[in-house]
Amino acid sequence: MSVMSNPAYGEVLSEGKAKTLYITDDPQRLILHFRDDTTAFDGAKRASLSGKGTLNNRFNAFIMRHLEQAGVPTHFERLLNNQDSLVHRLDMLAVEFVVRNIAAGSLCKRLGFESGLELRPPLQELFLKDDERGDPLIYDQHAIRLGLATQEQLHRGAELALRVNELLMPLMADAGMLLVDYKLEFGMDDGGELLLGDEFTPDGCRLWDTKSRESLDKDRFRQGLGGVVESYRIAAKRLGVEGVVAEE
Ligand code: TMP
Ligand code: ASP
């Protein structure tokens, strides 16, 4: 398949809570479809938020390109249309790499950290990707003994997750936002390299307005604050994400 030709949509490979992966006529490429579906608390709270799929697809493309240009290997290839992107097929590790710059969310609930406390150097955590078990916090040793990842993969994932932080903290700061925390997922490509997969959108990170500390991310949905898509749009516009203004 030539790089520029449009891939043929094949069968659904997997359906997550907010995205669907389709196979294509190229065994090494998948179509990542961003739906409007939104969930929280491991799927216990659900809604469909009109426009979210398009915003997240564009937001993700913007961030992935930024990371790729700075040397972080990602699965992203190109935008196909409003809600779809072409990505490289990966064999995903069933763990989630979380990086925290400011205490929020489960860190406060689980361990009593004061919300808003600055964490320097950033705090890194590993979670098991398993909704039925409530995505528990795990040690590297658990992931290794469960056969989910090797020590080398976990080390490389953690290294890349920190590099992402070094790149995105200033990007967000320049756009008047604090990158509070985020979750990344990695997978192996056919050449045995670990690449950043999944997505980077306001669904999987916390972004606060620098001055007001107002949430511009999925916490608005989790906490029932309203204005979810509107907040994602504000964050995208501040970053200069292409195509967002025109779609309003
Ligand atoms: P937490 O405070 O709930 O542990 O979440 C930390 C960050 O990781 C937050 O930005 C949300 C993101 N995250 C997900 O996107 N999906 C998940 O399943 C988990 C556990 C966290
Ligand atoms: N992503 C998870 C869910 O949709 C956890 C969360 O974001 O709260 O349920």
Side-chain angles (χ1 to χ4, degrees):
M1 188 181 84
S2 90
V3 177
M4 292 317 290
S5 70
N6 268 337
Y9 285 66
E11 283 170 26
V12 170
L13 176 69
S14 63
E15 188 161 280
K17 295 191 291 289
K19 302 187 296 298
T20 306
L21 271 174
Y22 293 89
I23 57 172
T24 69
D25 44 356
D26 180 339
Q28 292 310 325
R29 289 186 172 80
L30 302 173
I31 292 169
L32 183 61
H33 175 73
F34 289 81
R35 308 197 310 272
D36 286 343
D37 299 327
T38 309
T39 74
F41 313 119
D42 301 321
K45 179 172 178 174
R46 290 169 185 269
S48 176
L49 301 173
S50 177
K52 196 202 70 156
T54 297
L55 265 168
N56 274 5
N57 187 34
R58 293 189 180 280
F59 196 107
N60 179 64
F62 177 86
I63 298 290
M64 290 283 172
R65 282 182 189 135
H66 184 83
L67 295 175
E68 194 79 54
Q69 277 164 16
V72 175
T74 81
H75 69 155
F76 181 80
E77 295 209 359
R78 64 187 160 95
L79 275 175
L80 291 174
N81 56 51
N82 272 347
Q83 286 183 245
D84 297 336
S85 286
L86 190 66
V87 299
H88 200 86
R89 185 172 189 153
L90 300 181
D91 187 10
M92 298 300 290
L93 310 184
V95 292
E96 302 182 335
F97 293 77
V98 167
V99 178
R100 301 177 185 274
N101 295 307
I102 297 176
S106 77
L107 187 67
C108 303
K109 239 186 236 161
R110 195 177 349 109
L111 295 172
F113 275 78
E114 182 194 338
S115 175
L117 183 76
E118 220 178 283
L119 302 165
R120 261 214 200 127
L123 187 63
Q124 287 193 269
E125 295 177 333
L126 193 68
F127 291 87
L128 181 66
K129 195 171 161 63
D130 185 340
D131 276 345
E132 280 176 23
R133 292 190 163 81
D135 286 352
L137 181 72
I138 57 171
Y139 294 169
D140 283 17
Q141 282 298 313
H142 293 133
I144 293 166
R145 302 224 179 170
L146 282 167
L148 302 178
T150 64
Q151 183 74 72
E152 293 71 35
Q153 288 168 333
L154 294 172
H155 184 264
R156 179 68 177 148
E159 184 180 64
L160 287 171
L162 269 192
R163 179 73 187 129
V164 166
N165 203 38
E166 284 165 10
L167 294 165
L168 297 190
M169 274 223 299
L171 185 81
M172 300 301 176
D174 287 348
M177 297 182 287
L178 295 167
L179 180 57
V180 174
D181 57 30
Y182 56 89
K183 181 265 300 177
L184 302 178
E185 295 180 31
F186 295 91
M188 302 296 284
D189 72 4
D190 48 329
E193 192 189 358
L194 196 73
L195 307 190
L196 176 61
D198 193 48
E199 65 176 303
F200 193 104
T201 71
D203 269 3
C205 72
R206 288 192 173 90
L207 287 173
W208 291 353
D209 176 82
T210 306
K211 280 197 191 126
S212 69
R213 298 210 149 200
E214 200 186 350
S215 293
L216 299 170
D217 56 63
K218 200 164 87 173
D219 266 352
R220 301 200 70 85
F221 177 70
R222 295 189 188 97
Q223 296 168 14
L225 299 174
V228 182
V229 177
E230 291 74 9
S231 297
Y232 287 25
R233 182 170 285 119
I234 289 168
K237 271 193 192 170
R238 286 190 188 180
L239 287 166
V241 175
E242 304 83 1
V244 169
V245 178
E247 271 154 30
E248 278 187 285

